Amino acid sequence: MNFRFAAPWLFLFLIPLLFAAWRMLRRPSRPTAIPFAPIRFLPAKTATWRGFMVRALPWFFTVGASLLVVAAARPQTFFARETRSVDAIAIAMVVDVSGSMQALDLAFNPHAPNAQTRLDVVKDEFGKFIDKRPDDLISLITFGGFASTRCPLTADHGAVMQYLDTVAIPGMGADDEGRQVSSEETLTAVGDGLTTACARLQESELKTKIVVLLSDGVSNTGLVKPARAAAIAKELGIKVYAIGIGSKTGQAPFRTHDAFGRSIVAMGLVEFDEAELKSLSETTGGRYYSVTDKAGFSAVMKEIDALEKTHVERDVYNNYNERFVVPLLTGAALLVLAVSVGLICLRRPL
């Protein structure tokens, strides 16, 4: 463990402080006693608490002010390391970002102006899930027409949350005839998303590795077929917990615009291959969930909480540990004591 001051130049304030201390503590050049013949009239005991405080308060003030300067210079220990035991698992969250994730069927009132899309609900619940898993390693992968690693496996959940906030359904482009299209709107590469998650989990030291795969569509593209991806996960000892999101009726509400450009909610066709998601889970020894509202995600978190966890000794490295609190509080207390006693009890400043 190493020690340093983050702002050592603040010690320059000790120069005027030491001069002030010298002025307060120096002995007078001439005696201040006065002749007084009848000594018998003087009190036998002259040492009182007031006399003690008169001598001690300048010291309190000097030491307190010095400690405040030390605190302002920010004493730190850096590259500090501590080891703690944790029960953790490695989790890859794989989120579908195809166009059907814009559906509003998970919202309580799809016609409300602020109604959440399927993707909005997933992001909210995933964020709550991360807060409850402080020791787990978490990775974030998204897939539509292709899979993309948004965040590698990490214990830095703040970074995962930042990447989660940026997840969105890809924007539209234009074809040769000027029509607005996007392959991400219609294609869903479930196999590629699962394979990417397996690659992120493969090197983890933790024994328990799982994939939470959220999808609302049908796998219709990708380099790896979902069945092959499930076989790879099984070989690596990775369980897949698949979550089917949204309505099974073949229609769902979407926010769109009418011929006059006004925002409206209209029903649109959606496809959903529940059998494929069930197969992924069964092949790897996981479990399939069907989610039609926010409450469905609670079941997923309870299932994960019940899993076998890996007990590990984790080294936690801190770049800097601030050590200014003790000198700050001690110095402030001494200054308050010196000033308050001087003004209230002795009825004079220092």
Side-chain angles (χ1 to χ4, degrees):
M1 184 181 297
N2 299 291
F3 182 84
R4 76 165 197 173
F5 287 97
W9 59 269
L10 290 174
F11 283 113
L12 293 174
F13 285 101
L14 289 177
I15 297 175
L17 178 61
L18 292 176
F19 177 76
W22 173 77
R23 293 282 297 176
M24 288 188 297
L25 298 172
R26 69 188 179 98
R27 294 180 178 274
S29 58
R30 293 182 300 175
T32 56
I34 59 174
F36 193 80
I39 298 177
R40 66 180 182 276
F41 293 111
L42 292 175
K45 184 179 180 181
T46 59
T48 65
W49 70 271
R50 290 179 181 272
F52 170 78
M53 296 305 293
V54 167
R55 295 188 297 272
L57 290 185
W59 286 102
F60 289 167
F61 179 85
T62 302
V63 174
S66 300
L67 288 175
L68 290 184
V69 173
V70 172
R74 291 179 58 196
Q76 298 173 332
T77 54
F78 59 98
F79 293 111
R81 184 184 72 177
E82 59 179 312
T83 302
R84 62 189 182 101
S85 300
V86 298
D87 291 322
I89 61 178
I91 306 172
M93 299 295 296
V94 185
V95 182
D96 190 341
V97 291
S98 59
S100 54
M101 291 293 285
Q102 296 183 93
L104 305 171
D105 52 345
L106 297 188
F108 178 75
N109 180 12
H111 295 276
N114 59 346
Q116 289 185 312
T117 65
R118 292 175 177 178
L119 183 59
D120 292 334
V121 173
V122 170
K123 290 168 64 173
D124 284 350
E125 294 302 316
F126 186 22
K128 296 175 184 177
F129 173 75
I130 293 175
D131 289 337
K132 296 179 180 179
R133 313 294 303 178
D135 297 315
D136 292 336
L137 299 179
I138 298 179
S139 176
L140 176 62
I141 294 106
T142 60
F143 68 93
F146 59 90
S148 175
T149 299
R150 298 299 184 99
C151 182
L153 201 64
T154 179
D156 186 355
H157 293 178
V160 181
M161 292 295 293
Q162 288 183 353
Y163 285 108
L164 179 64
D165 289 340
T166 66
V167 172
I169 296 171
M172 301 288 287
D175 62 9
D176 294 337
E177 299 179 7
R179 295 175 298 186
Q180 296 295 311
V181 296
S182 172
S183 61
E184 294 295 295
E185 288 288 316
T186 57
L187 300 181
T188 305
V190 175
D192 287 2
L194 179 54
T195 304
T196 303
C198 292
R200 297 292 167 259
L201 294 173
Q202 183 177 5
E203 301 300 327
S204 173
E205 63 176 359
L206 300 181
K207 178 181 178 181
T208 304
K209 307 172 186 178
I210 69 169
V211 172
V212 179
L213 190 151
L214 306 113
S215 180
D216 68 343
V218 178
S219 180
N220 51 20
T221 190
L223 301 176
V224 182
K225 297 296 183 181
R228 176 54 184 159
I232 294 173
K234 183 178 180 180
E235 292 175 6
L236 297 175
I238 299 172
K239 293 182 179 180
V240 177
Y241 289 80
I243 306 173
I245 304 171
S247 172
K248 303 177 184 179
T249 62
Q251 286 190 325
F254 287 84
R255 185 174 290 110
T256 184
H257 295 86
D258 62 14
F260 299 98
R262 295 173 299 186
S263 178
I264 61 172
V265 175
M267 301 301 291
L269 296 177
V270 291
E271 291 184 284
F272 184 43
D273 192 346
E274 189 174 37
E276 184 175 67
L277 295 179
K278 286 182 178 179
S279 176
L280 295 178
S281 301
E282 292 172 356
T283 301
T284 59
R287 183 173 175 180
Y288 170 75
Y289 297 90
S290 178
V291 174
T292 57
D293 53 34
K294 282 190 174 183
F297 284 90
S298 298
V300 177
M301 287 184 278
K302 290 180 180 180
E303 179 73 19
I304 294 175
D305 285 335
L307 293 175
E308 176 187 359
K309 298 186 176 78
T310 303
H311 187 76
V312 296
E313 298 288 331
R314 178 173 294 171
D315 289 333
V316 181
Y317 292 87
N318 299 312
N319 288 334
Y320 296 102
N321 286 328
E322 300 287 349
R323 305 295 185 186
F324 66 88
V325 175
V326 173
L328 176 64
L329 296 180
T330 305
L334 289 175
L335 281 181
V336 170
L337 176 65
V339 175
S340 60
V341 171
L343 293 177
I344 298 174
C345 298
L346 304 182
R347 300 183 182 279
R348 68 172 189 178
L350 296 174

